C-alpha cells in the first residue's frame, strides 16, 4: 500500500474513488491472507496485554489515512489473531468461513439493513424464510419446522426454552416469576454432557440453576434415557413441573448423540417440550447417509443448528427450527406504536420472535454459500471431513502408544497418548498420563503448526481433534499426527 494517504473529508463518507481503491486492495489483502495463512502460527503468539500495550489509550482527535489503519492491521492486529481459518486449526469445533460467505458479509455490511420488521428489510425477511427452508430440506427435517435466525446457538436454545415456558400457561410473560407463591419449580432436563449454554439460558430466563436437572450419560456419553424417565417421575412426585427436555445431537466434548427417538415418548408422556441442540452436528445431516443423526426430530418441538459451525458460514449464524412459532411469538412479540405497519398482519417480522429488535441480514451469506456450493458440494466437504477424522482415528487405534477415548460418530476424534508407564497404582498412572497429554497438547500448540484442545472424559484428560475447516486436507491431518508423535517422543 502507498505510504501517503488521504484522510476523511470534512463531512460525509469516504470519497468514492478512495473507497473503490481500498475495496480492491482489501480483497487482494484477504486473498493473500488466506493463501499464505499456513505460514502463520495457528495460535496467537502473544502474551496477555501485549496488544493493548501497543494501542493508544485515547482515540485519535483527527482522522487518519486508511493506509495507516491497514498498516496497523498488518502490524498489530494480525499477530494478535488466532487463525481460525488455518487448515491445521483442530481445536474446539474447527469452523471456517468460505469465499461466498465472506462476500455475503461484505454485502450485508454495505446494505446495513436492520431487519426488525418486514418493511425495514423485505429482502432479509423473505430471503431468510426461503434459505432456511432450503436448509431444512437439505437436513431432511420435515415441513412442520419453520426456521428463524439468531446469532448463536446459546441464543437459539434460550429462545426455544422461552417458548417452551410460554407453553406451560402459567402467565409468566404477564406476571413474571418472582414473588409468586402459586408457581411450582419449573424444570429443564439435559444430559451431563450438554453444553453450558443451556444452563446459561435457564439462568437468563429466571428459572435458576435449580431449574435444570442434569441426567447421567451411558458409556458412550449419551443421555441415559431410563435415568431421565426416573428423574422426571421423581420431580413430579415432589410437585415440580418438568416442562422441557434438551437433547444434544453432537455434544461439545465428544460429539455423542443423545437417543432422541427414545427420549421422544418420555417427553410426550409428560407433555414436555423437546428441544434438540444440534449446534455442531446438525450440519452433518446435509450428507444423505448421515441424516440418521437427526432421527427422532420428526417428533421434536425445536432444533438448533449452527451453520457457523460446520457449514462454512462466517460467524455468526445460528438457526432455530421450531414447530410452534406461535408460542415463540407469544413469548416475545411487543409492538409499540412506532413499529406498527399496515402490512403487519400479512408478513413475518423478525423482531416478533426474540429479544432483539434490529437483526443483521445474515441470511444473505447462507443463501450465497448454499447457491455456490450446492447441496452436493456441501455434503462432499462434510463427508471428506468425516473421512479424514476416521483416518486419524485409525492411526490412533493402530498405535500401541495412543488410545481412543470416545466413539467417533462424525469428525471429532477424542484420544490420548497412553504409552506404557510404570506407576505404583492405576490412579497414579492415570494422573501421569493427564500431565503427559496436557504437555503434548501445549507442545504441539506451541509449534504454531497446529492447534488442538482438550476435555475431560471419565476424569481423564482427553485430546480433541476436530476436522471442520474448508481448507483442511489429508496433508494437514498427517502433519498433526507427526507433531503429536514428535512431542510424545520428546516427553517420554
Ligand atoms: N451447543 C453445542 C452442542 C455446542 O458445541 C456449542 C458450542 O460449541 C454451543 C451450543 C454454543 O454455540 P454458540 O457459540 O453458537 O452459542
Amino acid at each position: 500500500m502507498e505510504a501517503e494517504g488521504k484522510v476523511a473529508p470534512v463531512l460525509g463518507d469516504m470519497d468514492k474513488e478512495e473507497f473503490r481503491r481500498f475495496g480492491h486492495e482489501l480483497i487482494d489483502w484477504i486473498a493473500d491472507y488466506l493463501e499464505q495463512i499456513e505460514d502463520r502460527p495457528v495460535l496467537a503468539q502473544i502474551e496477555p496485554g501485549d496488544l493493548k500495550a501497543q494501542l493508544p489509550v485515547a482515540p485519535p482527535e483527527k482522522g487518519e489515512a486508511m493506509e495507516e489503519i491497514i498498516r496497523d492491521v498488518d502490524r498489530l492486529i494480525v499477530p494478535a489473531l488466532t487463525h481460525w481459518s488455518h487448515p491445521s486449526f483442530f481445536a474446539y469445533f474447527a469452523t471456517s468461513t468460505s469465499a461466498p460467505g465472506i462476500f455475503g458479509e461484505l454485502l450485508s455490511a454495505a446494505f446495513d439493513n436492520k431487519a426488525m420488521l418486514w418493511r425495514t428489510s423485505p429482502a432479509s425477511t423473505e430471503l431468510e424464510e426461503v434459505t432456511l427452508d432450503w436448509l431444512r430440506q437439505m437436513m431432511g427435517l420435515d415441513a412442520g419446522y419453520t426456521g428463524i435466525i439468531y446469532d448463536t446457538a446459546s441464543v437459539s436454545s434460550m429462545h426455544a426454552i422461552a417458548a417452551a415456558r410460554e407453553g406451560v400457561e402459567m402467565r409468566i410473560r404477564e406476571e413474571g416469576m418472582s414473588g409468586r407463591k402459586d408457581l411450582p419449580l419449573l424444570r429443564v432436563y439435559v444430559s451431563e454432557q450438554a453444553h453450558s449454554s443451556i444452563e446459561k439460558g435457564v439462568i437468563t430466563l429466571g428459572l435458576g440453576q435449580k431449574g435444570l436437572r442434569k441426567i447421567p450419560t451411558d458409556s458412550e456419553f449419551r443421555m441415559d434415557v431410563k435415568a431421565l424417565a426416573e428423574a422426571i417421575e421423581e420431580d413430579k412426585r415432589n410437585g415440580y413441573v418438568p416442562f422441557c427436555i434438551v437433547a444434544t445431537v453432537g455434544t461439545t466434548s465428544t460429539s455423542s448423540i443423545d437417543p432422541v427417538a427414545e427420549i421422544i415418548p418420555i417427553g410426550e408422556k409428560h407433555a414436555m417440550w423437546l428441544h434438540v441442540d444440534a449446534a455442531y452436528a446438525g450440519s452433518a445431516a446435509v450428507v444423505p447417509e448421515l441424516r440418521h443423526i437427526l432421527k427422532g426430530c420428526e417428533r421434536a418441538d425445536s432444533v438448533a443448528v449452527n451453520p457457523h459451525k460446520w457449514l462454512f458460514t462466517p460467524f455468526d449464524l445460528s438457526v432455530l427450527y421450531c414447530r410452534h412459532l406461535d408460542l415463540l411469538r407469544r413469548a416475545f412479540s411487543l409492538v409499540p406504536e412506532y413499529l406498527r405497519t399496515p402490512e403487519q398482519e400479512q408478513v413475518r417480522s423478525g423482531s416478533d420472535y426474540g429479544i432483539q429488535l434490529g437483526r443483521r441480514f445474515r441470511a444473505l451469506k447462507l443463501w450465497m454459500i448454499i447457491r455456490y456450493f450446492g447441496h452436493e458440494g456441501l455434503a462432499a466437504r462434510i463427508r471428506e471431513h468425516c473421512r479424514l477424522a476416521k483416518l486419524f482415528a485409525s492411526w490412533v487405534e493402530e498405535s500401541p502408544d495412543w488410545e481412543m477415548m470416545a466413539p467417533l460418530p462424525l469428525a471429532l476424534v477424542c484420544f490420548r497418548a497412553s504409552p506404557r508407564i510404570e506407576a505404583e497404582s492405576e490412579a497414579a498412572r492415570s494422573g501421569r498420563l493427564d500431565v503427559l497429554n496436557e504437555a503434548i497438547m501445549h507442545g504441539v500448540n506451541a509449534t504454531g503448526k497446529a492447534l488442538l484442545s482438550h476435555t475431560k472424559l471419565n476424569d481423564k484428560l482427553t485430546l480433541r481433534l476436530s476436522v471442520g475447516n474448508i481448507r483442511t486436507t489429508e496433508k494437514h491431518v498427517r502433519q498433526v499426527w507427526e507433531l503429536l508423535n514428535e512431542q510424545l517422543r520428546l516427553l517420554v
Side-chain angles (χ1 to χ4, degrees):
M1 305 234 169
E2 290 171 21
E4 295 274 290
K6 267 185 95 171
V7 294
V10 178
L11 292 174
D13 199 1
M14 184 184 285
D15 165 278
K16 61 182 188 301
E17 285 313 315
E18 286 267 294
F19 180 79
R20 213 174 273 283
R21 183 163 73 87
F22 284 113
H24 288 292
E25 282 190 21
L26 265 181
I27 292 290
D28 280 341
W29 189 98
I30 295 169
D32 290 343
Y33 168 74
L34 293 175
E35 218 174 281
Q36 294 154 18
I37 199 162
E38 289 185 55
D39 301 338
R40 301 182 188 276
V42 192
L43 183 67
Q45 307 283 303
I46 66 165
E47 294 300 320
D50 277 0
L51 175 61
K52 280 204 289 190
Q54 295 185 73
L55 297 170
V57 285
E61 207 58 50
K62 296 208 182 305
E64 301 174 64
M66 271 311 283
E67 282 89 345
E68 267 179 64
I69 302 169
I70 292 171
R71 210 177 307 125
D72 280 353
V73 169
D74 265 319
R75 192 173 66 87
L76 301 174
I77 306 299
V78 174
L81 289 174
T82 290
H83 298 283
W84 283 72
S85 292
H86 194 298
S88 294
F89 186 113
F90 295 110
Y92 313 108
F93 279 126
T95 67
S96 79
T97 185
S98 61
I102 294 172
F103 291 147
E105 281 286 1
L106 189 65
L107 285 173
S108 155
F111 299 147
D112 193 30
N113 270 212
K114 285 85 183 173
M116 53 222 199
L117 306 170
W118 176 85
R119 74 164 45 195
T120 61
S121 188
S124 175
T125 308
E126 295 192 12
L127 194 67
E128 178 167 329
E129 286 182 44
V130 171
T131 306
L132 296 191
D133 201 60
W134 286 2
L135 179 60
R136 177 192 65 72
Q137 293 173 46
M138 293 196 305
M139 290 169 63
L141 289 173
D142 63 86
Y145 280 114
T146 308
I148 177 133
I149 295 180
Y150 299 103
D151 51 4
T152 57
S154 308
V155 172
S156 293
S157 290
M158 188 206 73
H159 281 84
I161 300 168
R165 189 182 63 175
E166 187 63 21
V168 300
E169 308 292 352
M170 290 186 177
R171 294 186 54 76
I172 289 172
R173 173 184 162 122
E174 296 78 9
E175 295 176 31
M177 299 180 75
S178 64
R180 282 182 67 178
K181 295 220 164 30
D182 64 322
L183 210 58
L185 185 82
L186 299 171
R187 260 205 167 149
V188 178
Y189 300 77
V190 290
S191 91
E192 282 169 349
Q193 292 288 323
H195 192 263
S196 55
S197 57
I198 307 302
E199 187 162 348
K200 278 199 189 179
V202 164
I203 295 168
T204 308
L205 292 167
L207 295 158
Q209 281 172 300
K210 214 177 151 191
L212 185 79
R213 184 154 178 185
K214 295 184 184 173
I215 306 297
T217 52
D218 64 14
S219 60
E220 298 195 355
F221 310 103
R222 300 169 302 195
M223 190 189 279
D224 177 338
V225 181
K226 193 162 163 276
L228 171 71
E230 285 167 5
I232 293 173
E233 298 285 357
E234 182 186 62
D235 282 355
K236 279 191 129 172
R237 282 197 301 277
N238 288 329
Y240 301 160
V241 174
F243 76 100
C244 179
I245 304 168
V246 179
T248 311
V249 169
T251 57
T252 314
S253 277
T254 70
S255 76
S256 60
I257 297 172
D258 285 343
V260 178
E262 291 169 45
I263 293 171
I264 291 274
I266 300 171
E268 287 177 350
K269 178 176 172 198
H270 299 285
M272 295 167 73
W273 183 291
L274 177 60
H275 173 61
V276 178
D277 176 1
Y280 161 66
S283 299
V286 308
V287 183
E289 65 272 24
L290 293 177
R291 267 194 186 169
H292 60 85
I293 61 170
L294 292 182
K295 189 163 167 270
C297 289
E298 62 285 352
R299 277 160 67 196
D301 297 283
S302 54
V303 180
V305 57
N306 275 4
H308 73 223
K309 276 201 164 58
W310 205 4
L311 219 55
F312 319 116
T313 305
F315 194 79
D316 49 13
L317 199 166
S318 175
V319 182
L320 177 68
Y321 285 106
C322 182
R323 286 192 196 281
H324 320 285
L325 276 200
D326 53 323
L327 281 176
L328 199 54
R329 195 167 195 279
R330 231 176 70 184
F332 290 103
S333 178
L334 198 62
V335 186
E337 184 55 35
Y338 45 82
L339 294 177
R340 275 167 42 86
T341 64
E343 66 278 358
Q344 67 188 26
E345 299 307 322
Q346 289 153 258
V347 293
R348 194 170 112 176
S349 287
S351 56
D352 280 339
Y353 300 92
I355 52 168
Q356 263 188 275
L357 175 64
R359 307 168 71 246
R360 299 199 321 113
F361 190 176
R362 294 190 179 88
L364 185 61
K365 57 187 173 184
L366 185 57
W367 178 68
M368 292 173 74
I369 288 165
I370 296 175
R371 289 194 61 184
Y372 181 73
F373 294 113
H375 185 178
E376 272 181 23
L378 292 167
R381 284 161 178 80
I382 290 176
R383 192 180 286 122
E384 174 64 3
H385 289 163
C386 296
R387 185 189 74 82
L388 293 177
K390 279 203 176 62
L391 183 65
F392 183 91
S394 72
W395 301 331
V396 171
E397 276 161 353
E398 283 159 17
S399 166
D401 292 332
W402 299 86
E403 64 177 334
M404 290 290 284
M405 300 295 284
L408 170 64
L410 297 163
L412 170 68
V413 190
C414 292
F415 66 105
R416 74 168 184 170
S418 58
R420 218 167 293 164
I421 295 181
E422 295 300 321
E424 51 286 6
S425 66
E426 195 41 48
R429 179 172 185 270
S430 183
R432 286 182 59 193
L433 285 180
D434 281 0
V435 174
L436 172 68
N437 277 281
E438 196 164 1
I440 290 174
M441 176 178 74
H442 290 313
V444 169
N445 293 349
T447 65
K449 291 183 185 151
L451 190 71
L452 296 167
S453 64
H454 76 284
T455 189
K456 271 213 163 165
L457 297 177
N458 299 323
D459 250 358
K460 293 178 179 159
L461 193 125
T462 300
L463 304 181
R464 293 168 74 265
L465 177 113
S466 161
V467 186
N469 186 306
I470 199 163
R471 290 174 201 84
T472 302
T473 65
E474 194 168 317
K475 177 185 95 176
H476 304 104
V477 176
R478 284 189 187 280
Q479 187 194 34
V480 71
W481 177 239
E482 280 160 24
L483 288 170
L484 283 158
N485 281 289
E486 262 167 41
Q487 288 299 318
L488 178 66
R489 283 193 294 274
L490 275 175
L491 290 159
V492 175

